C-alpha cells in the first residue's frame, strides 16, 4: 500500500550490535573496560591516522560503554594535555 | 431467519465471545485471571506513546505515528478484510474484560453502525469515551499475519503483596525456585528444632526435676550436631552457588548496551550503540509522574514520563553508575538489583523472556526523594524496538 511504501523509505536500518564482552574484565566492575576502550581508540588514531576507517570499531566500543559525561570530560582533558591515561 | 444486519451483529457478538474465551485461556497461562479485583485497577491503563526525548543538541523528538501500538482483530469472514486499529489506550490482559474491550474497540472503529447496537456489551461508560480516542493507522503487513493481538501485561506488585512478582528472566525464575527449595529445608529444620526445644522445656521443667542434671558433655551428640548441619548446608549451597555464578555470566556477547545513570532524584538512560560521534546521543531523563498528574489506572509512585524500551528475547547489558550519590537500580520482575556508584561502572546482564512492562524503584537511600525515582522497563518485539530507535535517532 501507499503508506507501507512511505514508511518503508523513512525507516532506516538499525543494527543490534554493541561492544562485545572482554575477558580482560570479567567482573561486574566495568570502569576500566570503558577506560581501556577509550585509550585503545586513541592509540589506534595515533598509529593509523585520523582518516583511517579502521579505528571506527574502537570508537563504537567506547561509546557503548562510557557515559557521555565521562567521554566529554576526557576529551576536554586530552585537549588540555592533562589526560591521565597512557595515550 | 435473520435479516442481513442482524446476522452481521450476531456474527460480531459471537466473535467477541470467542476471543474473550481465548483471552481467558491466555490469561490462565499467564496466571493473570487470579489477580481478581486488583487487576481492575489497571483496567483503564493509559499509555500515550508520545514522549519527549532530551537530546544533547537541544532538539526534541516525538515518538512516531508509525510506532503506535496496534490491535488486530480476527477476520470477519468472506469479503471482510482484517484491519489494523491503533489506540492510545492500551488495555492490559485483565481476565476476559481487557481482551474483549480491545476487540470491541477495533471492531467499532471500522463499523461505526455497531456503536449503538452493541453498547449493551460495554456497561462501563468510560469505555465509550475511550472509543472516541481511537486512531486508525494504515495497514502494516507484520500485523496482518498476527491473529491474536499484542497485549502486554504490566508487572507491578499487587497491594500488600508479600511474595515474588512474576518472573520475566531466567535469573528471576531461578531465584524463585531456589527460594522455594530452601524454604522447604528451612521449614523442616524449624519444626525439628522447635520440637527438640519444647520437649526439653517440658521434660526438664523444675516440677519434675527439682535437682538439675550435671551433664556437661556428650561426644556422640557433639559429632552428630556438627556433621548433620554441615551436610544440610552443602545441599543448600550447591544450587545457591550455581545460581550465583550464573548471574555473573558475561560470556554471551550482548546485543544492546544501556547505561543507567542515577541522579538526585531521577534516572538518565543512554543508548549509545547507534551514535556516529561523541556529540550525538540517544539519551533521556526518566522522572516519576507526580500523583496529581496520574491518569486513571496508572500506578502511584511507579509511572515515569520516559520509559526504557528494550527488545525481548535479546541479551542486554545494563551499565549502572551515578552522577552524585549512591543509588541502586532494581527491577524485581527481572531479578536485577545493582548499586549505582559514582565513578564506577557496574554491569549486569539480563535476558527478558516476554514482552511487558516491568516496574522497579531506587533501592539505595539517596536523599529526600529516594522514594520518588522509579524505573519502568518496557520489553517489546525486536521490530518495534527497531522502529522506536529509528524514530529517536533520525
Amino acid at each position: 500500500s501507499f503508506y507501507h511504501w512511505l514508511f518503508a523509505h523513512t525507516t532506516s536500518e538499525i543494527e543490534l550490535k554493541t561492544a562485545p564482552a572482554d575477558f580482560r574484565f570479567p567482573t561486574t566492575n566495568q570502569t576500566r573496560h570503558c577506560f581501556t576502550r577509550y585509550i585503545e581508540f586513541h592509540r589506534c588514531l595515533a598509529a593509523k591516522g585520523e582518516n583511517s576507517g579502521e579505528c571506527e570499531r574502537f570508537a563504537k566500543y567506547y561509546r557503548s560503554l562510557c557515559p557521555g559525561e565521562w567521554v566529554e570530560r576526557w576529551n576536554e582533558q586530552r585537549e588540555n594535555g592533562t589526560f591521565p591515561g597512557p595515550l | 431467519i435473520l435479516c442481513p444486519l442482524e446476522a452481521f451483529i450476531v456474527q460480531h457478538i459471537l466473535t467477541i465471545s470467542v476471543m474473550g474465551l481465548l483471552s481467558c485461556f491466555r490469561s490462565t497461562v499467564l496466571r493473570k485471571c487470579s489477580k481478581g479485583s486488583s487487576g481492575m485497577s489497571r483496567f483503564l491503563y493509559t499509555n500515550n506513546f508520545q514522549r519527549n526525548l532530551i537530546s544533547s543538541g537541544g532538539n526534541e523528538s516525538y515518538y512516531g505515528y508509525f510506532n503506535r501500538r496496534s490491535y488486530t482483530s480476527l477476520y470477519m469472514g468472506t469479503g471482510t478484510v482484517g484491519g489494523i486499529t491503533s489506540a492510545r489506550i492500551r488495555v492490559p490482559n485483565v481476565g476476559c474484560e481487557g481482551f474483549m474491550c480491545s476487540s470491541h474497540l477495533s471492531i467499532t472503529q471500522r463499523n461505526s453502525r455497531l456503536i449503538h447496537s452493541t453498547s449493551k456489551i460495554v456497561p462501563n461508560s468510560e469505555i465509550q469515551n475511550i472509543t472516541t480516542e481511537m486512531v486508525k493507522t494504515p495497514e502494516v503487513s507484520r500485523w496482518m499475519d498476527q491473529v491474536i493481538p499484542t497485549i502486554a501485561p504490566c508487572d507491578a506488585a499487587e497491594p500488600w503483596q508479600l511474595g515474588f512478582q512474576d518472573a520475566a528472566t531466567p535469573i528471576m525464575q531461578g531465584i524463585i525456585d531456589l527460594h522455594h527449595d530452601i524454604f522447604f529445608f528451612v521449614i523442616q529444620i524449624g519444626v525439628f528444632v522447635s520440637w527438640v526445644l519444647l520437649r526439653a522445656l517440658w521434660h526438664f521443667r523444675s516440677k519434675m526435676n527439682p535437682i538439675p542434671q550435671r551433664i556437661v558433655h556428650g561426644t556422640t551428640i557433639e559429632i552428630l550436631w556438627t556433621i548433620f548441619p554441615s551436610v544440610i548446608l552443602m545441599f543448600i549451597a550447591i544450587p545457591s552457588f550455581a545460581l550465583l555464578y550464573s548471574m555473573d555470566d558475561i560470556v554471551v556477547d550482548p546485543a544492546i548496551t544501556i547505561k543507567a545513570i542515577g541522579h538526585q532524584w531521577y534516572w538518565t538512560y543512554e543508548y549509545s550503540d547507534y551514535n556516529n560521534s561523541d556529540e550525538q546521543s540517544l539519551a533521556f531523563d526518566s522522572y516519576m509522574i507526580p500523583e496529581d498528574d496520574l491518569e486513571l489506572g496508572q500506578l502511584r509512585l511507579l509511572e515515569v514520563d520516559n520509559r526504557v524500551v528494550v527488545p525481548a528475547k535479546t541479551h542486554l547489558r545494563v551499565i549502572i553508575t551515578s552522577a552524585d550519590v549512591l543509588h541502586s537500580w532494581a527491577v524485581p520482575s527481572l531479578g536485577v538489583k545493582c548499586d549505582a556508584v559514582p565513578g564506577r561502572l557496574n554491569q549486569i546482564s539480563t535476558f527478558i523472556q516476554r514482552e511487558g512492562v516491568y516496574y522497579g524503584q531506587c533501592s539505595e537511600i539517596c536523599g529526600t526523594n529516594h522514594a520518588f525515582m522509579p524505573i519502568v522497563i518496557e520489553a517489546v518485539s525486536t521490530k518495534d524496538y527497531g522502529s522506536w530507535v529509528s524514530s529517536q535517532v533520525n
Side-chain angles (χ1 to χ4, degrees):
Chain A
S1 65
F2 171 76
Y3 291 105
H4 190 67
W5 168 83
L6 180 65
F7 287 113
H9 282 257
T10 57
T11 303
S12 64
E13 193 81 13
I14 295 293
E15 190 179 12
L16 294 188
K17 205 163 92 173
T18 187
D22 196 330
F23 283 92
R24 295 175 289 175
F25 309 100
T27 61
T28 300
N29 189 356
Q30 298 287 302
T31 312
R32 293 206 63 89
H33 189 188
C34 151
F35 192 66
T36 303
R37 293 294 191 187
Y38 184 81
I39 290 174
E40 281 175 353
F41 168 68
H42 287 283
R43 280 184 176 177
C44 182
L45 282 188
K48 299 190 187 300
E50 297 277 340
N51 298 324
S52 176
E54 301 176 28
C55 301
E56 189 60 27
R57 180 165 53 102
F58 294 104
K60 288 280 186 182
Y61 291 168
Y62 85 77
R63 281 184 201 128
S64 291
L65 292 167
C66 303
E69 286 182 8
W70 293 27
V71 173
E72 193 176 329
R73 185 174 5 120
W74 288 341
N75 287 340
E76 189 178 334
Q77 286 176 349
R78 275 192 310 105
E79 290 170 5
N80 299 335
T82 57
F83 185 72
L87 288 179
Chain B
I1 298 173
L2 299 174
C3 67
L5 179 61
E6 289 173 340
F8 189 60
I9 294 170
V10 170
Q11 184 185 8
H12 280 75
I13 294 173
L14 290 177
T15 306
I16 293 167
S17 302
V18 170
M19 296 177 77
L21 291 175
L22 290 177
S23 166
C24 199
F25 174 74
R26 273 170 51 103
S27 299
T28 305
V29 173
L30 291 173
R31 293 175 294 171
K32 296 299 181 182
C33 278
S34 61
K35 294 278 182 177
S37 61
S38 63
M40 289 298 293
S41 65
R42 288 181 264 162
F43 179 66
L44 296 176
Y45 177 81
T46 59
N47 179 36
N48 194 329
F49 268 83
Q50 287 188 343
R51 62 187 70 184
N52 296 328
L53 299 188
I54 301 171
S55 306
S56 59
N59 298 320
E60 289 185 352
S61 61
Y62 289 86
Y63 193 70
Y65 171 82
F66 176 78
N67 302 312
R68 284 176 179 167
R69 183 67 61 175
S70 299
Y71 295 93
T72 303
S73 59
L74 288 173
Y75 292 105
M76 295 294 106
T78 307
T80 306
V81 178
I84 309 297
T85 305
S86 171
R88 289 198 181 87
I89 297 161
R90 186 178 60 189
V91 183
N93 198 0
V94 184
C96 302
E97 295 92 344
F99 198 106
M100 186 175 293
C101 287
S102 68
S103 169
H104 177 76
L105 294 176
S106 66
I107 290 173
T108 52
Q109 176 61 38
R110 294 180 293 104
N111 304 280
S112 58
R113 293 174 296 164
L114 291 178
I115 289 178
H116 300 288
S117 56
T118 61
S119 61
K120 55 180 177 292
I121 297 176
V122 188
N124 195 335
S125 61
E126 283 148 343
I127 299 295
Q128 291 181 309
N129 295 333
I130 297 170
T131 306
T132 58
E133 296 190 29
M134 291 171 61
V135 177
K136 186 167 184 177
T137 56
E139 295 182 356
V140 181
S141 58
R142 71 172 190 269
W143 293 115
M144 294 181 69
D145 298 332
Q146 203 167 348
V147 177
I148 299 177
T150 301
I151 295 178
C154 297
D155 282 75
E158 297 179 34
W160 310 107
Q161 179 174 346
L162 286 177
F164 295 103
Q165 296 184 29
D166 296 333
T169 60
I171 292 295
M172 186 53 181
Q173 190 60 51
I175 290 169
I176 293 172
D177 292 342
L178 179 68
H179 172 267
H180 291 342
D181 294 341
I182 293 182
F183 213 54
F184 177 72
F185 282 93
V186 167
I187 295 292
Q188 282 192 341
I189 294 167
V191 169
F192 175 70
V193 170
S194 301
W195 175 74
V196 170
L197 181 66
L198 294 176
R199 181 182 168 85
L201 291 177
W202 176 258
H203 284 284
F204 296 96
R205 66 187 191 276
S206 63
K207 186 173 291 185
M208 292 178 61
N209 300 275
I211 304 171
Q213 295 279 348
R214 300 285 179 118
I215 301 172
V216 296
H217 184 72
T219 303
T220 303
I221 195 167
E222 288 283 347
I223 294 172
L224 291 180
W225 69 29
T226 303
I227 292 177
F228 282 168
S230 303
V231 172
I232 293 170
L233 284 180
M234 274 193 288
F235 277 108
I236 292 175
I238 291 170
S240 179
F241 283 3
L243 178 66
L244 182 65
Y245 288 119
S246 70
M247 288 179 184
D248 289 338
D249 188 8
I250 61 159
V251 177
V252 180
D253 279 348
I256 285 158
T257 299
I258 299 165
K259 283 165 273 182
I261 302 165
H263 296 84
Q264 281 177 316
W265 284 276
Y266 60 98
W267 292 97
T268 297
Y269 298 97
E270 294 182 12
Y271 295 69
S272 302
D273 298 329
Y274 320 105
N275 296 6
N276 290 317
S277 66
D278 287 347
E279 289 74 33
Q280 180 193 12
S281 181
L282 202 175
F284 54 89
D285 295 335
S286 185
Y287 283 87
M288 185 191 79
I289 297 179
E291 196 167 348
D292 299 338
D293 297 337
L294 286 176
E295 296 176 357
L296 192 60
Q298 282 188 320
L299 299 169
R300 179 175 158 270
L301 300 179
L302 287 180
E303 298 292 348
V304 293
D305 52 357
N306 291 316
R307 294 177 163 182
V308 184
V309 180
V310 297
K313 298 184 176 60
T314 305
H315 288 278
L316 310 171
R317 174 204 270 137
V318 187
I319 290 185
I320 296 155
T321 184
S322 172
D324 39 33
V325 299
L326 293 176
H327 302 272
S328 185
W329 200 77
V331 185
S333 288
L334 310 187
V336 300
K337 176 184 272 190
C338 188
D339 283 351
V341 185
R344 173 178 163 132
L345 301 177
N346 279 330
Q347 172 187 287
I348 55 171
S349 299
T350 190
F351 181 89
I352 302 177
Q353 287 179 312
R354 56 184 173 90
E355 298 176 14
V357 181
Y358 309 105
Y359 294 92
Q361 285 171 304
C362 176
S363 301
E364 181 76 36
I365 189 75
C366 54
T368 302
N369 290 334
H370 159 66
F372 310 120
M373 48 189 297
I375 299 151
V376 182
I377 295 179
E378 180 169 1
V380 297
S381 65
T382 306
K383 290 177 181 174
D384 286 343
Y385 175 75
S387 302
W388 179 81
V389 171
S390 299
S391 65
Q392 308 309 326
V393 169
N394 296 330

